[in-house]
Amino acid sequence: ARNAGLNLDIKIFSSKDVYYSYPSNIALIYELSDCKVIYGALALKRKINLTKLDLRMHLDYSYSTLLSIKEDRINGLNEMSAKELYSALRNLVVIHLILQKKVSNIALNNTMKMLIGEDIIKNLKKNTDSLEYKELGHITLKMWYNLVRKEVMEMKEDILI
């Protein structure tokens, strides 16, 4: 497909996996929000109820990334892939948007660009081995983790999206 100039993002899901993990997996909710089914049928729930516990569990992923850097910042950043930093940041933005009841890949991409800039995002996604890009990603991750954690902890009721 790449040789033909096609930019495809194809994933294969079993209906059983989607059925059991979709309601509490915010990454999957975003992945499937504007998907096109090529073969088969995919019956997704129209309304999803996310609890504070669901969102706190998703926060843990970004927190574990922060912890691995905290122990030894320079060596931690050198050993961590830029893509891991990007994934942890993206996870926090998804949680933030879910709290606003927004499930939109356009909103996700725009928020990421606004957050750290298109150039930095591209380099983190490409797994560029630049310590400067990783440092910027780490600083942003730390700030956003604290912000999103506070938002989750202040949740009064479940989120229905």
Side-chain angles (χ1 to χ4, degrees):
R2 288 192 187 183
N3 293 339
L6 299 174
N7 186 13
L8 300 177
D9 184 10
I10 298 174
K11 294 189 179 175
I12 298 172
F13 294 102
S14 76
S15 58
K16 187 177 181 181
D17 290 339
V18 171
Y19 178 79
Y20 288 111
S21 64
Y22 182 77
S24 62
N25 186 333
I26 61 174
L28 188 58
I29 292 168
Y30 261 78
E31 278 185 55
L32 298 177
S33 68
D34 58 0
C35 73
K36 292 192 172 61
V37 177
I38 296 171
Y39 179 78
L42 194 56
L44 301 174
K45 291 184 177 182
R46 294 211 184 268
K47 295 289 181 188
I48 301 163
N49 190 44
L50 291 166
T51 66
K52 185 185 246 185
L53 179 61
D54 291 327
L55 296 178
R56 285 181 66 190
M57 288 178 7
H58 285 282
L59 269 174
D60 286 347
Y61 169 72
S62 296
Y63 185 66
S64 67
T65 303
L66 273 174
L67 277 182
S68 62
I69 297 169
K70 239 185 218 181
E71 293 171 8
D72 183 358
R73 200 173 114 242
I74 297 301
N75 287 332
L77 280 172
N78 279 330
E79 292 174 9
M80 176 166 289
S81 75
K83 198 162 186 126
E84 283 178 90
L85 277 169
Y86 170 80
S87 294
L89 264 170
R90 184 184 184 282
N91 179 59
L92 290 174
V93 173
V94 166
I95 295 169
H96 174 73
L97 290 173
I98 289 280
L99 286 166
Q100 297 174 11
K101 299 182 180 185
K102 289 183 186 173
V103 179
S104 162
N105 283 305
I106 293 169
L108 173 61
N109 290 333
N110 289 339
T111 305
M112 290 290 290
K113 286 176 189 173
M114 181 192 70
L115 183 63
I116 58 174
E118 194 167 355
D119 184 52
I120 296 168
I121 289 170
K122 283 181 184 175
N123 282 288
L124 290 175
K125 279 173 86 173
K126 282 191 221 172
N127 213 14
T128 305
D129 204 22
S130 165
L131 190 57
E132 289 81 16
Y133 286 122
K134 288 180 182 180
E135 185 68 38
L136 288 167
H138 175 244
I139 291 166
T140 308
L141 179 64
K142 205 170 17 174
M143 289 180 351
W144 263 74
Y145 176 78
N146 291 326
L147 172 86
V148 175
R149 184 180 183 283
K150 183 178 180 201
E151 289 176 342
V152 169
M153 298 312 280
E154 290 174 353
M155 267 178 67
K156 300 285 185 231
E157 56 190 37
D158 293 353
I159 303 287
L160 186 64
I161 53 172

